[in-house]
Amino acid sequence: MENDSSLIKINNCRIEGSRRTLLDGLFWEMKAGEAWLVTGPNGGGKAEFLKALDGGFGLKFERNGDGESEYLNSFADSVETVSLERAARLIQEERELDESEFIDGGVDIGRTGRVLIAEGIVGPIKKGSELPAVCGELDAYPEIKLCGVEKILDRGIKYMSTGEIRRTLLARALVSRKKLLILSDPFAGLDAESRGILLDFFDSIAGKQLKGGDIGAFPHIILCMERFKEIPDAVSDVLEFRDGKISFCGSRADYEIVAERQNALEEEKRRAGYREFSEAVKKLSNEVNYVMGVENFQPESDILIDMHDVNVGWDDHMVLKNLNWTLKRGEHWLIRGPNGSGKTTLLELITGDNMQVFRNDIKIFGARRGSGETIWDIKHRLGIVSYRLHVEYRMLGGTSLRDVIMSGFHDSIGLYEAPSDVEAAAAEKWLALAGFAGRGNEMFGNLSYGEQRAVLILRGAVKCPPVLILDEPCHGLDEQMRQKILDLLDIIADCGTTTFLHVTHEPSEVLKCEKHILELHPGEDPMYRIIANK
């Protein structure tokens, strides 16, 4: 293949959805010898562009009739996407296929990592059927070691952490031998080790792309990232989308100049508006606290959560062992540890989404779990932002942004009762504070992944709960929205009525109020460390 050969050419084309044109006037060309990054703010158009390139999301490129128009994609039907959305879809599939209630013992582990990866080679494997020979051969595949999934091949997908699912999907994509791999925000939520594995992989393959020749068994890669600050060095060119249009198309060096100017302007605007933003949030929080009756809503004791000798695991795999930990009012905690270390399991013990809570000595707001309180008694005092919640809302379908926010008052997935005037007014104000003014009637499912996550953070904060659980809250957010959300959380902490439990792998996302750290160390004894007053 010549160095100037076009791999993809989009000349005066548009992207069509089921009912309307999503993007128009598109011009872009990817040649051999280039490694492209696709970026831009949430809702700017990059998600639709990548879905159309993939071809498996119902979107497609159409040539425009006016003037010269051309669409060429040498990868045709040989495209695979690894993204947060793919992972969410996978979790949804596992829940729909779960047959635990029909099985003696009540445990259906579902597809394992081994089966999911093998399906990338042989296609769908019918549940309960004899596994093809390739399943037993996967341990020897170099792609398995490259993605670091050797130890989780026989674990059910539903028992994997978000990062482990993402690495498993990457391994599946690699063994499928697809010609083009789209990596969408691949580093979000990965621990340092997983991030290093993926970065080395990308730099290796992209380095071969830059030579312009045949890259062998590995695919060409297009990288999509929300945040330009953390992109790999091997990226040579950048395509940026803003407001439904291509806002930049050119070399990385030229884009770095543009991005630096843009970031400086955004930071200046942020600093100028922070005080006004802070005052508005505090005023709204006071209004909500008054309506909710904060003196009754807050727990009587300063001890909000108390865990004694907690043990959680399955088969011979221990996730949490002999954990002793207490959360007190006003003590904001950072929870950290590698993928699969038990961070999400810990949070699910609090929210009631892990049934092993009943076999352990765990008190939530003064009541031991299993002593008669309902899950709704617990969730009434919790705000929750998590990947699992995001999956639940994506499964729900069409719900307006206003209703998503108001559902936070009722701890429901969707809104099933008439809201009060106060709830409706509060929802509109929260939306406006986060930059969604006038968009309350828009459907949640029509938003970009990052915009959806931002709305769910507002849902978690809307009732100013005693405890706000933040499980990787900035997943999928662009730089501007990410900073706005971090500012919002800092201000909520300053209001004094909400205590945070915050899981993140990003040092830059640690909030200034988080003076206590619970650090998980799988496989060690003890399996955790407490670091206070940092």
Side-chain angles (χ1 to χ4, degrees), residues 169-241:
L169 284 172
L170 177 60
R172 172 190 166 113
L174 292 176
V175 301
S176 72
R177 300 294 186 262
K178 295 291 181 68
K179 297 178 181 178
L180 176 63
L181 178 58
I182 298 174
L183 296 180
S184 182
D185 214 12
F187 302 107
L190 295 186
D191 57 38
E193 181 181 1
S194 298
R195 188 171 301 199
I197 291 171
L198 187 55
L199 185 61
D200 289 345
F201 161 75
F202 178 82
D203 281 339
S204 174
I205 305 307
K208 295 178 181 179
Q209 282 183 218
L210 293 174
K211 295 178 182 178
D214 184 4
I215 63 173
F218 292 108
H220 282 80
I221 295 177
I222 293 177
L223 184 65
C224 174
M225 297 183 69
E226 307 291 349
R227 302 173 57 202
F228 182 77
K229 291 182 179 179
E230 55 186 16
I231 69 170
D233 293 336
V235 167
S236 63
D237 297 271
V238 179
L239 180 67
E240 181 192 74
F241 286 85

Side-chain angles (χ1 to χ4, degrees), residues 284 287-288 291 402 405-406 409 419-433 462:
L284 179 53
E287 292 174 359
V288 172
V291 172
R402 186 183 300 105
I405 302 296
M406 290 189 293
F409 284 108
S420 68
D421 292 341
V422 172
E423 291 171 352
E428 293 292 355
K429 290 178 181 178
W430 281 110
L431 286 168
L433 283 172
V462 68

Side-chain angles (χ1 to χ4, degrees), residues 440-464:
N441 290 326
E442 287 189 30
M443 293 295 106
F444 182 81
N446 292 336
L447 269 59
S448 69
Y449 188 93
E451 288 178 309
Q452 289 177 356
R453 179 54 63 97
V455 169
L456 290 177
I457 291 173
L458 301 181
R459 175 193 180 275
V462 68
K463 62 183 178 183
C464 303

Side-chain angles (χ1 to χ4, degrees), residues 177-482:
R177 300 294 186 262
K178 295 291 181 68
K179 297 178 181 178
L180 176 63
L181 178 58
I182 298 174
L183 296 180
S184 182
D185 214 12
F187 302 107
L190 295 186
D191 57 38
E193 181 181 1
S194 298
R195 188 171 301 199
I197 291 171
L198 187 55
L199 185 61
D200 289 345
F201 161 75
F202 178 82
D203 281 339
S204 174
I205 305 307
K208 295 178 181 179
Q209 282 183 218
L210 293 174
K211 295 178 182 178
D214 184 4
I215 63 173
F218 292 108
H220 282 80
I221 295 177
I222 293 177
L223 184 65
C224 174
M225 297 183 69
E226 307 291 349
R227 302 173 57 202
F228 182 77
K229 291 182 179 179
E230 55 186 16
I231 69 170
D233 293 336
V235 167
S236 63
D237 297 271
V238 179
L239 180 67
E240 181 192 74
F241 286 85
R242 288 180 181 271
D243 302 319
K245 299 178 181 178
I246 293 176
S247 51
F248 181 89
C249 181
S251 72
R252 175 199 180 119
D254 288 343
Y255 186 73
E256 286 177 340
I257 298 173
V258 172
E260 185 175 352
R261 291 173 182 168
Q262 183 69 30
N263 289 337
L265 289 173
E266 294 296 345
E267 180 61 19
E268 185 177 338
K269 287 169 59 179
R270 171 184 169 258
R271 292 181 183 277
Y274 186 85
R275 179 176 297 178
E276 180 181 351
F277 183 48
S278 175
E279 291 174 354
V281 171
K282 290 179 179 178
K283 180 181 178 182
L284 179 53
S285 296
N286 289 335
E287 292 174 359
V288 172
N289 282 328
Y290 177 78
V291 172
M292 296 294 292
V294 68
E295 66 280 359
N296 297 319
F297 193 57
Q298 290 285 352
E300 295 179 3
S301 171
D302 280 341
I303 296 179
L304 305 177
I305 300 169
D306 206 9
M307 297 187 177
H308 293 281
D309 292 324
V310 169
N311 291 276
V312 179
W314 55 88
D315 297 330
D316 295 326
H317 178 67
M318 292 301 298
V319 181
L320 298 174
K321 183 179 180 181
N322 300 330
L323 174 66
N324 291 280
W325 174 69
T326 300
L327 173 69
K328 295 180 180 180
R329 190 200 315 268
E331 291 185 353
H332 304 285
W333 283 75
L334 171 69
I335 303 172
R336 68 189 184 195
N339 294 134
S341 62
K343 301 183 298 298
T344 297
T345 298
L346 174 70
L347 299 183
E348 289 178 344
L349 290 174
I350 298 169
T351 62
D353 296 314
N354 188 309
M355 291 301 101
Q356 294 192 42
V357 66
F358 298 112
R359 65 175 69 166
N360 282 285
D361 184 2
I362 299 176
K363 292 182 180 178
I364 312 291
F365 306 123
R368 177 163 178 168
R369 291 307 315 273
S371 61
E373 86 293 344
T374 70
I375 188 65
W376 303 111
D377 294 330
I378 300 298
K379 290 194 173 181
H380 182 56
R381 293 178 172 182
L382 296 176
I384 302 170
V385 181
S386 69
Y387 185 65
R388 301 284 174 169
L389 177 73
H390 200 155
V391 171
E392 296 281 0
Y393 253 104
R394 288 170 59 84
M395 291 173 65
L396 186 63
T399 305
S400 72
L401 304 191
R402 186 183 300 105
D403 285 356
V404 171
I405 302 296
M406 290 189 293
S407 72
F409 284 108
H410 304 278
D411 312 300
S412 57
I413 307 297
L415 190 63
Y416 304 101
E417 54 187 284
S420 68
D421 292 341
V422 172
E423 291 171 352
E428 293 292 355
K429 290 178 181 178
W430 281 110
L431 286 168
L433 283 172
F436 292 93
R439 300 177 63 182
N441 290 326
E442 287 189 30
M443 293 295 106
F444 182 81
N446 292 336
L447 269 59
S448 69
Y449 188 93
E451 288 178 309
Q452 289 177 356
R453 179 54 63 97
V455 169
L456 290 177
I457 291 173
L458 301 181
R459 175 193 180 275
V462 68
K463 62 183 178 183
C464 303
V467 175
L468 179 56
I469 293 175
L470 302 163
D471 190 359
E472 297 284 4
C474 293
H475 260 182
L477 299 185
D478 62 54
E479 190 64 36
Q480 184 178 356
M481 181 61 76
R482 171 182 168 273

